[in-house]
């Protein structure tokens, strides 16, 4: 047999059938063998894991707002992918907003690709946008290489990415279903939000009341009805409200092509603990109460929620703290692509889940459901994207040491378990000071 480029071996390797001892053989950037850890190897390089380390597949984060070009001062490809690599994320998919232009046409996708080229530390794919002006041309954008289409059912917060009303939502889903594509939906109901909107919200309780659970439930029920009518593959992004879980469970039991994600902040933060005027905690939909998070965790455990991704959505500190602590004025979004793995692992371990569950939620799940080929598992034929994690080691989050562009984080000062000691992209160690080897992906 031809000599291997690399073998990584250890007592705890997260394989598709569970965590067990194994030696992973790598050649030309791909996994070519899984062997007993004691088997003799012929390899250019061998990495032996320490006793406190576990080998995981590289995480796949399909919900990242990079914002370049146009709003690179919020976040750019260099800083976003540095943060991803530092956190064990080896693949990200970039959202079609808040860059300028938004990724709603083939021409805009090429602008986005040009901005990303040679700037990425990890592999990057792209979502397209389903907005009123892009309807009728979505197949062209799919053929140009996006993984699917994002839409909003209410104001997105940026003028270049308007929402779809009920009629246009059905139109988009019919169009996307015709070529087997995927629609991902920010599901909050515009009329419900309009009824609760506040001009000022200096307390978190006021802000939480302005984004009620019934806004998510109404929107998700609307999306489910359209999914039933069109049979379009449909995905609900950043589910925050457990009140929508019964409708989601019923839709899945019916066999509708529906998947759902949630995010670390909805699983690890609690409304009761958010201080007033601390707008680093603002996101939309909002972080809800502890009892709500308990129900989200149960839904992860029973498979109602399919996976967990960051919704990394940064801005400048000036926007994040606009209004001097007014939640109604400040930009909504939490930057956490670097912290997703330790955040989820810390909370999951305390709830009796294992690292194999975290791998299913944060690596295999997003790769499988979004169809990001070759990613998300330590299996023969997959890309050799790997993470060496010390799950029992703890650290304290320092917002100024995080790699995303602007030093804002609701997790500053929080103690977490799970230190990423090494990230490997296609068989080569990621050097955060070295060359950028990330590729631009297409479905």
């Amino acid at each position: 047999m031809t000599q291997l480029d690399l073998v990584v071996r250890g007592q705890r390797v997260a394989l598709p059938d569970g965590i067990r001892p194994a030696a992973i053989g790598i050649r030309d950037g791909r996994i070519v063998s899984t062997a007993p850890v004691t088997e003799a190897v012929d390899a250019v390089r061998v990495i032996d894991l320490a006793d406190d380390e576990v080998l995981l597949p590289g995480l796949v984060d399909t919900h990242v707002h990079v914002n370049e070009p146009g709003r690179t001062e919020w976040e750019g490809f260099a800083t976003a992918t540095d943060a991803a690599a530092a956190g064990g994320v080896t693949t990200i998919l970039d959202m079609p907003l808040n860059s300028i232009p938004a990724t709603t046409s083939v021409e805009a996708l090429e602008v986005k690709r040009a901005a990303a080229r040679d700037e990425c530390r990890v592999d990057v794919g792209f979502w397209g946008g389903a907005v009123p002006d892009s309807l009728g041309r979505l197949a062209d954008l799919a053929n140009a290489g996006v993984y699917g289409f994002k839409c909003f059912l209410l104001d997105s917060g940026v003028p270049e990415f308007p929402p779809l009303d009920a009629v246009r939502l059905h139109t988009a889903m019919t169009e996307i279903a015709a070529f087997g594509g995927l629609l991902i939906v920010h599901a909050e109901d515009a009329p419900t939000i309009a009824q609760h909107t506040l001009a000022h919200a200096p307390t978190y309780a006021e802000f939480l009341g302005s984004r009620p659970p019934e806004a998510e439930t109404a929107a998700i029920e609307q999306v489910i009805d359209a999914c039933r009518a069109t049979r379009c593959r449909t995905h609900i992004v950043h589910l925050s409200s457990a009140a929508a879980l019964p409708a989601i469970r019923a839709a899945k039991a019916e066999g509708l092509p529906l998947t759902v994600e949630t995010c670390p902040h909805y699983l690890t933060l609690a409304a009761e603990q958010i201080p007033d005027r601390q707008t680093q905690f603002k996101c939309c939909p909002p972080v809800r109460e502890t009892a709500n998070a308990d129900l989200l965790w149960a839904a992860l455990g029973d498979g109602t929620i399919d996976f967990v991704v960051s919704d990394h959505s940064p801005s400048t500190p000036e926007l994040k703290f606009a209004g001097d602590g007014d939640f109604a004025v400040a930009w909504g979004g939490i930057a956490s692509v670097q912290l997703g793995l330790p955040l989820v692992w810390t909370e999951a371990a305390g709830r009796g889940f294992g690292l194999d569950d975290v791998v299913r939620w944060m690596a295999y799940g997003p790769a499988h459901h979004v169809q990001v080929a070759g990613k998300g598992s330590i299996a023969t034929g997959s890309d050799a994207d790997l993470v060496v994690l010390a799950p029992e080691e703890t650290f304290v989050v320092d917002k100024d040491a995080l790699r995303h562009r602007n030093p804002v984080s609701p997790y500053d000062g929080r103690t977490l378990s799970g230190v990423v000691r090494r990230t490997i992209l296609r068989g080569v160690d990621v050097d955060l000071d070295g060359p950028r080897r990330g590729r631009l992906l297409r479905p």
Side-chain angles (χ1 to χ4, degrees), residues 123-367:
D123 289 352
V124 177
F126 302 93
W127 292 105
V131 299
D133 286 348
S134 67
L135 301 185
R137 297 182 286 110
L138 299 179
D140 294 338
L141 197 47
N143 291 334
V146 299
Y147 280 83
F149 302 90
K150 171 76 174 286
C151 77
F152 278 72
L153 303 185
L154 78 171
D155 181 11
S156 71
V158 292
E160 63 275 4
F161 205 93
L164 300 181
D165 59 20
V167 172
R168 289 189 173 108
L169 175 67
H170 192 281
T171 299
M173 293 177 77
T174 301
E175 182 179 351
I176 293 166
F179 56 82
L182 173 64
L183 181 71
I184 66 174
V185 186
H186 181 126
E188 288 182 284
D189 181 61
T192 304
I193 296 293
Q195 292 171 9
H196 293 81
T197 297
L198 299 173
H200 299 284
T203 71
Y204 190 76
E206 289 173 303
F207 169 64
L208 186 60
S210 74
R211 315 289 293 213
E214 53 263 34
E216 283 190 81
T217 301
I220 288 170
E221 289 175 346
Q222 177 188 353
V223 171
I224 289 171
D225 287 344
C227 178
R228 181 182 297 111
T230 64
R231 309 303 295 188
C232 179
R233 290 173 53 223
T234 307
H235 179 71
I236 304 296
V237 297
H238 53 48
L239 178 72
S240 89
S241 173
L245 289 171
I248 292 166
R249 287 192 174 99
K252 289 191 164 199
E254 186 182 336
L256 297 183
L258 180 75
T259 52
V260 182
E261 71 185 44
T262 192
C263 305
H265 36 281
Y266 302 128
L267 299 169
T268 65
L269 299 174
E272 302 96 320
Q273 300 169 4
I274 296 177
D276 295 340
R277 294 192 176 275
Q278 298 301 301
T279 50
Q280 65 268 36
F281 290 90
K282 179 183 176 180
C283 57
C284 297
V287 171
R288 304 191 189 277
E289 299 83 357
T290 299
N292 181 85
D294 291 341
L295 293 171
L296 295 180
W297 276 103
L300 268 174
D302 69 22
T304 303
I305 297 174
D306 297 277
F307 56 84
V308 180
V309 286
S310 69
D311 188 12
H312 178 80
S313 185
S315 70
T316 62
E318 292 76 17
L319 288 170
K320 192 63 186 162
F321 298 111
D324 190 25
D326 189 335
F327 283 94
V329 176
W331 177 261
I334 291 177
S336 63
V337 68
Q338 185 172 338
L339 295 174
L341 175 55
L343 283 166
V344 173
W345 165 238
T346 300
E347 187 71 21
R351 292 174 178 266
F353 294 104
L355 274 173
D356 51 344
D357 296 306
V358 175
V359 167
R360 185 173 69 255
W361 299 330
M362 303 188 76
Y364 175 78

Side-chain angles (χ1 to χ4, degrees), residues 426-441:
R426 282 176 274 103
V428 177
D429 287 76
V430 175
D431 178 358
L432 291 172
D433 297 314
R436 296 183 177 275
R437 300 179 50 257
R439 292 177 178 171
L440 305 187
L441 303 177

Side-chain angles (χ1 to χ4, degrees), residues 66-69 77 94-103 106-117 126-127 440:
V66 175
N67 309 326
E68 185 177 5
F77 285 102
D94 171 58
M95 283 289 159
L97 73 163
N98 300 303
S99 57
I100 302 173
T103 314
V106 173
E107 295 76 17
L109 175 62
E110 291 310 311
V111 171
K112 179 68 71 83
R113 285 181 171 276
R117 196 165 291 118
F126 302 93
W127 292 105
L440 305 187

